[in-house]
Amino acid sequence: MTHEAAQGAGAEDAGEERRLTTREAAELLGVKPETVYAYVSRGQLSSRRSPGGRGSTFGRAEVERLAGRTGRREARAAAGDLVFRTGITLIEPDRYYYRGVDATDLARRYGYEEVAEWIWTGELRPGARFTAPPESLAAAGRVAAALPSHSSATDRLRAAVAAAATVDPLRFDLSPQGVLSSARGLIPTLVGALPVTAGQASDVEDAAGGSLAGQLWPRLADTPADPASLAVLDTALALLADHDLAASTLAARVAASAHANPYAVVSAGLGVLEGPLHGAASGLAHRMLSEVVDRGSAAPVVAGHLRTGRRVPGLGHRLYSGEDPRARVLFTLLAEVPRAAPALAAARDVVATTARHAPLHANVDLALAVLSVAYGMPAEAGETVFAVSRTAGWIAHALEEYAERPLRMRPRGQYVGPRAPQPLPTPLPWPPSSPSPSVAPPSAPPSAPVPPSAQVPSPAPVPSAPSPPPPSAPPANY
């Protein structure tokens, strides 16, 4: 109890409810303590001196009535923090919630589309299915097919978003109904723009009218999905739909703050997702796990990562002190899939081996790697699942941001350049030579040639020191 609270407690009478201290009143109103005293001076709030004459107390009912009239203000963030009000995802040390409901419980019981509807509207609609508009699917498919054969799935998704936007004349309708209509068509369009694997061409038509997971599976794996493996993919999509303000989600909110249309919001999210410290992390876990399965032991693979200064992928998360709850759910489901047994055993070997060096726990990248390795999917499969799934979260955050004050995200830069004013710079020739020196050396005056006998031999070149290994990636925070 604070010093003021202790004084306030002494002011209680036998039949009177305990009065609030200044700090407690400020927290209830969402203002600074100084503002509470301003309310008193303007006659909006009455106070009473606490026993001993130090500090003031306030009636709870009166403070609550004032809060109801003025509205509780958003709490100020600590210096350097960037905080936004959101009603979508709450993250706690060992679990997370979608609109107050445990996200893992939702993902176990409902499919991706149903969870997406819950995130968007706060309404649970069993049996929800998303259908791609034919013109949108055709445009996205043409553009994605025109890309080079080596293009990544994320390349195709970004191209598909841009193409789908061009055939949606209502994309600038930022009403909730308009945004949701675009989103329900965009997500299956993204899936439909991905190429089908060689062994799955005959199954695409059957999956077209089914769940989104059923439509995505033939674009990830060569073998048909059994019910257990399809349930793993559907659950993974639901678990990854949102995770508070990850880097890609922040980019999406910045775009929405400028009232960019939903397609542009998703494009902003995909652009950040492509970074090596965000969506690409699952590919690193896939490659590592494949090597562990091939070598039959995690010890040499983990040792190789640590020896070269690399972080072992698939382990650790900034927001969870223990195992990532998303990984925990997926590992439980994968344990019921016989084909996943070798990859799952390899993942557990990685966790156990690394635990001797550092107390790190599995994150969702390692769980996705078990699925992708078990079914021979490409290394980028986890990133594809992540991108398709997180589109629902980006749309949810866009809906929130559209309701906020436009362009509110305008930080001010701290200038650290040369002191102004500076003279105009000296013009240099174009194009610049390669490599271009940052500062041109002064020209030396012409001199007479030096006779060969007077020339000093050049010293032998000194071998350069090897470049240090790249810094290890920070633990996951998405």
Side-chain angles (χ1 to χ4, degrees):
M1 183 181 292
T2 64
H3 179 63
E4 272 195 326
Q7 292 179 333
E12 294 183 56
D13 295 325
E16 183 182 3
E17 182 181 4
R18 187 181 73 82
R19 295 173 64 80
L20 301 177
T21 65
T22 303
R23 185 183 300 278
E24 290 169 338
E27 291 176 353
L28 186 58
L29 291 165
V31 299
K32 293 181 177 181
E34 294 84 350
T35 306
V36 175
Y37 292 121
Y39 287 148
V40 173
S41 66
R42 292 198 294 263
Q44 294 176 276
L45 190 64
S46 60
S47 66
R48 182 190 301 173
R49 302 298 292 179
S50 59
R54 296 183 60 188
S56 301
T57 62
F58 305 86
R60 173 179 289 274
E62 186 181 8
V63 173
E64 290 176 344
R65 285 196 298 270
L66 178 61
R69 294 197 303 270
T70 62
R72 189 185 187 281
R73 298 185 184 178
E74 183 175 353
R76 292 181 177 270
D81 286 349
L82 190 60
V83 177
F84 301 103
R85 295 182 302 177
T86 176
I88 302 169
T89 301
L90 169 66
I91 298 179
E92 292 187 343
D94 61 345
R95 66 190 64 201
Y96 69 114
Y97 303 85
Y98 290 154
R99 296 196 179 277
V101 179
D102 190 304
T104 60
D105 287 346
L106 281 169
R108 287 191 191 100
R109 294 169 180 259
Y110 299 99
Y112 170 71
E113 296 94 317
E114 296 158 330
V115 173
E117 287 290 331
W118 172 255
I119 291 174
W120 291 340
T121 67
E123 298 175 349
L124 190 61
R125 299 186 178 277
R129 289 289 182 266
F130 297 159
T131 303
E135 62 277 9
S136 174
L137 189 58
R142 286 193 299 270
V143 171
L147 297 177
S149 58
H150 62 264
S151 300
S152 68
T154 307
D155 290 333
R156 298 180 187 279
L157 292 176
R158 289 192 288 116
V161 173
T166 63
V167 296
D168 184 1
L170 303 179
R171 65 185 181 275
F172 297 107
D173 177 5
L174 303 187
S175 67
Q177 295 79 7
V179 172
L180 290 178
S181 177
S182 296
R184 291 173 183 133
L186 173 60
I187 294 177
T189 296
L190 295 179
V191 174
L194 295 172
V196 178
T197 59
Q200 293 275 46
S202 60
D203 297 329
V204 174
E205 290 299 325
D206 295 336
S211 69
L212 195 83
Q215 298 173 49
L216 181 59
W217 183 274
R219 292 163 168 83
L220 298 176
D222 276 327
T223 56
D226 54 83
S229 58
L230 195 60
V232 175
L233 178 58
D234 201 9
T235 303
L237 288 167
L239 290 169
L240 292 167
D242 190 58
H243 209 233
D244 196 31
L245 286 172
S248 57
T249 305
L250 178 59
R253 288 198 78 127
V254 171
S257 177
H259 282 191
N261 66 67
Y263 298 88
V265 167
V266 172
S267 293
L270 286 171
V272 176
L273 183 67
E274 199 171 18
L277 302 184
H278 199 357
S282 59
L284 300 176
H286 174 102
R287 296 181 181 92
M288 176 203 66
L289 198 62
S290 295
E291 186 179 356
V292 173
V293 171
D294 292 342
R295 301 182 69 167
S297 172
V301 180
V302 170
H305 278 75
L306 298 179
R307 181 183 181 188
T308 55
R310 293 175 292 163
R311 182 178 294 275
V312 180
L315 300 179
H317 198 289
R318 280 196 176 102
L319 301 180
Y320 298 115
S321 55
E323 188 175 44
D324 186 332
R326 302 169 295 181
R328 184 166 60 245
V329 172
L330 293 178
F331 284 148
T332 300
L333 293 176
L334 287 163
E336 304 298 322
V337 181
R339 181 165 177 166
L344 184 58
R348 289 171 172 160
D349 191 13
V350 169
V351 174
T353 301
T354 311
R356 307 171 200 166
H357 172 77
L360 295 175
H361 301 272
N363 63 36
V364 72
D365 288 322
L366 191 61
L368 289 175
V370 172
L371 177 65
S372 59
V373 170
Y375 282 90
M377 297 177 184
E380 65 178 8
E383 182 177 358
T384 304
V385 173
F386 194 107
V388 171
S389 170
R390 190 56 59 88
T391 300
W394 296 332
I395 293 295
H397 282 270
L399 286 166
E400 282 194 337
E401 196 58 43
Y402 289 148
E404 296 284 353
R405 175 173 55 84
L407 294 174
R408 65 191 181 114
M409 301 180 199
R410 180 59 174 90
R412 183 175 179 180
Q414 182 179 2
Y415 179 74
V416 294
R419 184 174 180 178
Q422 294 284 325
L424 288 172
T426 302
L428 298 175
W430 182 264
S433 57
S434 181
S436 177
S438 57
V439 179
S443 301
S447 57
V450 180
S453 58
Q455 293 180 356
V456 180
S458 301
V462 179
S464 59
S467 301
S472 58
N477 67 341
Y478 41 82

